[in-house]
């Protein structure tokens, strides 16, 4: 269980421990000035990777499941799968249309994708192909 908003969304941590559910709280803020990916993506990635290595699934949540958790989940999938951001975004929006409404988080995702060569698919644009 990865809680991206523990200040506003309390989890029953004692019940998680009793049921051997791993838990991480990341105090992310859903505002335009918060550097979400810089502050939270590294620990979120480590937590999710460790859970997956143990064969466990991870539920990533925040208050409404719209900005903080969605942005971290998309960023994680972007880096794990090395897929074009816009292709990934289309898949995620199809599954949950209301996500990623914070413009700053959108820009942070675009910057992450650009730095890693994942902002667009060169093949889809006819770039890099022959003749």
């Amino acid at each position: 269980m990865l809680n991206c908003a523990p200040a506003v969304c309390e989890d029953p941590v004692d019940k998680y421990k009793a049921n051997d559910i791993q838990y991480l709280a990341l105090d992310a803020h859903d505002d335009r000035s918060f550097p979400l990916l810089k502050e939270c993506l590294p620990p979120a990635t480590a937590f999710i990777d460790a859970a997956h290595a143990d064969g466990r699934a991870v539920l990533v949540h925040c208050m409404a499941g719209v900005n903080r958790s969605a942005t971290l989940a998309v960023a994680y999938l972007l880096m794990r799968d090395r897929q074009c951001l816009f292709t990934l975004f289309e898949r995620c929006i199809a599954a949950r249309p209301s996500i990623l409404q914070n413009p700053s988080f959108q820009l942070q995702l675009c910057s992450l994708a650009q730095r890693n060569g994942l902002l667009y698919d060169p093949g889809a644009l006819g770039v890099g192909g022959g003749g």
Side-chain angles (χ1 to χ4, degrees), residues 67-86:
N67 287 317
R68 292 168 277 205
S69 60
T71 302
L72 285 172
V74 169
Y76 176 82
L77 292 172
L78 177 75
M79 299 309 297
R80 184 194 72 185
D81 297 346
R82 309 293 300 171
Q83 184 178 32
C84 164
L85 175 61
F86 298 115

Side-chain angles (χ1 to χ4, degrees), residues 5-20:
V8 293
C9 187
E10 293 184 33
D11 279 336
V13 178
D14 290 338
K15 289 183 181 180
Y16 293 160
K17 286 181 184 178
N19 289 291
D20 194 31

Side-chain angles (χ1 to χ4, degrees), residues 8-70:
V8 293
C9 187
E10 293 184 33
D11 279 336
V13 178
D14 290 338
K15 289 183 181 180
Y16 293 160
K17 286 181 184 178
N19 289 291
D20 194 31
I21 296 172
Q22 302 297 312
Y23 179 77
L24 176 65
L26 297 175
D27 191 20
H29 303 275
D30 188 6
D31 64 56
R32 292 177 186 232
S33 65
F34 187 73
L36 179 69
L37 298 184
K38 180 181 179 185
E39 297 280 328
C40 297
L41 185 57
T45 297
F47 181 79
I48 295 168
D49 284 345
H52 287 172
D54 287 343
R56 296 174 181 249
V58 177
L59 173 67
V60 182
H61 78 90
C62 57
M63 186 65 182
V66 172
N67 287 317
R68 292 168 277 205
S69 60

